[in-house]
Amino acid sequence: MIARIPEVVSIASLNAHYGLRSDGEPFDVVDACRSLDADVIALQEVWWPDGGGGWIDELHKDGYQLAELRLARAGLSPNPDVCPEPADGTGWWGVAIASRIPLTNPEPIDIGKTPLDAAGRRSALRVGVNTGRAEPISVTAVHATHYFPLAPLHHRRLARLLRGSTRSVVCGDFNLWGPLTGLSFRNWQRPARGRSFPAHRPHSQIDHVLVTSDLQVEHAEVLGDVGSDHRPLRVRVAIGPPSGLVSPDSLLEPILTAGSRRPCICLPTLSDEADGRPTGSTGNDQ
């Protein structure tokens, strides 16, 4: 298969909330992703049920290339949540990047563990998006802790590890308002402005797309409700004229996991013992 690369790449971010609406009813994540009309989608709260067959598999069948990072055991009953006891989980929770453009060089970025967070040690997922230019665009998906005073710890760790990056986009659920998020990501653009949470009647923007200053943002917006409890964001970034055609067939081959029939990167073990989730959380978002 040969991919023709556009001169403008659209990148979206969506917290998929396990594929569930705020009332616990499922929504069509694949249809939601199609509606974003994006070349690359950074997904948070991805759900991999034990035994397979989840909506992430349907995304692959729909033609998306996938990089996947499983972070913690989780369950859907009585409410979708990370499980303090891994044995109680019925699947995995994490982040992923879905793309219509070839991906390359996926890597987890360790952003550490914060107190009170049942998810334990978190990582962001970074990939290269092969645009056919001299160097790819880097896209990172991140989901910071939902404990308000502690989310900046994840932000600062990620910003420090990405210091000096060029042609880079960071997308995700930062669980913090834009001006405070910007304190960690100084000199990064934050072009998509608008309330994103909760989706049915948003009062805050805790989801962000950050772009390095060397990339020109053509358009940015917070989109409408697609089914999740978060609203998605989308930016269009100019990357210049194409230098040719790209064959994606071999780009993801080095990261095929054993027994997998699709390209992915997975961390199927917990890095640390998970802490119990105390009461007093600042919200229902993980």
Side-chain angles (χ1 to χ4, degrees), residues 60-120:
H60 173 62
K61 294 175 184 177
D62 201 57
Y64 289 95
Q65 292 189 343
L66 293 166
E68 306 170 29
L69 186 59
R70 305 179 187 190
L71 294 172
R73 293 290 289 169
L76 301 182
S77 180
N79 298 301
D81 208 349
V82 170
C83 294
E85 295 297 330
D88 295 336
T90 57
W92 288 92
W93 167 94
V95 297
I97 295 175
S99 180
R100 301 288 194 184
I101 299 176
L103 301 178
T104 187
N105 298 328
E107 59 173 333
I109 301 177
D110 183 359
I111 59 173
K113 182 178 180 180
T114 61
L116 309 177
D117 189 0

Side-chain angles (χ1 to χ4, degrees), residues 199-211:
H200 69 286
R201 189 176 295 174
H203 54 65
S204 300
Q205 182 174 7
I206 59 174
D207 305 273
H208 306 288
V209 177
L210 307 174
V211 183

Side-chain angles (χ1 to χ4, degrees), residues 13-284:
S13 178
L14 172 64
N15 181 318
H17 193 235
Y18 296 76
L20 300 174
R21 300 181 185 276
S22 57
D23 61 5
E25 292 297 314
F27 72 96
D28 190 333
V29 179
V30 177
D31 187 62
C33 288
R34 289 194 202 107
S35 75
L36 300 181
D37 190 25
D39 300 305
V40 183
I41 306 172
L43 295 161
Q44 308 92 53
E45 293 201 5
V46 177
W47 169 243
W48 292 268
D50 290 343
W55 52 262
I56 194 76
D57 294 331
E58 296 303 315
L59 276 176
H60 173 62
K61 294 175 184 177
D62 201 57
Y64 289 95
Q65 292 189 343
L66 293 166
E68 306 170 29
L69 186 59
R70 305 179 187 190
L71 294 172
R73 293 290 289 169
L76 301 182
S77 180
N79 298 301
D81 208 349
V82 170
C83 294
E85 295 297 330
D88 295 336
T90 57
W92 288 92
W93 167 94
V95 297
I97 295 175
S99 180
R100 301 288 194 184
I101 299 176
L103 301 178
T104 187
N105 298 328
E107 59 173 333
I109 301 177
D110 183 359
I111 59 173
K113 182 178 180 180
T114 61
L116 309 177
D117 189 0
R121 197 169 196 91
R122 299 197 185 209
S123 291
L125 173 61
R126 188 183 193 188
V127 300
V129 179
N130 196 317
T131 61
R133 277 68 179 174
E135 60 177 304
I137 286 179
S138 166
V139 176
T140 301
V142 65
H143 189 180
T145 180
H146 63 297
Y147 286 99
F148 164 69
L150 304 176
L153 295 178
H154 282 150
H155 301 174
R156 287 198 291 268
R157 288 168 184 164
L158 180 60
R160 184 174 65 250
L161 292 168
L162 296 180
R163 187 176 298 152
S165 294
T166 58
R167 296 175 62 81
S168 296
V169 179
V170 178
C171 311
D173 179 355
F174 288 77
N175 271 311
L176 196 64
W177 305 290
L180 295 180
T181 299
L183 293 177
S184 296
F185 289 86
R186 297 182 184 275
N187 301 320
W188 290 65
Q189 304 174 76
R190 187 172 59 86
R193 307 292 180 98
R195 299 170 181 175
S196 64
F197 181 83
H200 69 286
R201 189 176 295 174
H203 54 65
S204 300
Q205 182 174 7
I206 59 174
D207 305 273
H208 306 288
V209 177
L210 307 174
V211 183
T212 51
S213 59
D214 59 325
L215 288 175
Q216 178 180 340
V217 178
E218 298 283 326
H219 184 72
E221 59 186 323
V222 177
L223 301 172
D225 188 349
V226 296
S228 174
D229 61 342
H230 290 244
R231 294 192 176 193
L233 288 69
R234 182 180 62 203
V235 300
R236 299 188 188 279
V237 177
I239 56 174
S243 60
L245 299 177
V246 178
S247 172
D249 293 338
S250 62
L251 290 175
L252 281 174
E253 186 175 354
I255 56 164
L256 281 170
T257 56
S260 173
R261 292 184 297 172
R262 68 164 187 265
C264 66
I265 178 172
C266 302
L267 293 184
T269 56
L270 294 174
S271 300
D272 283 297
E273 289 288 326
D275 298 316
R277 169 84 49 100
T279 58
S281 164
T282 57
N284 63 359

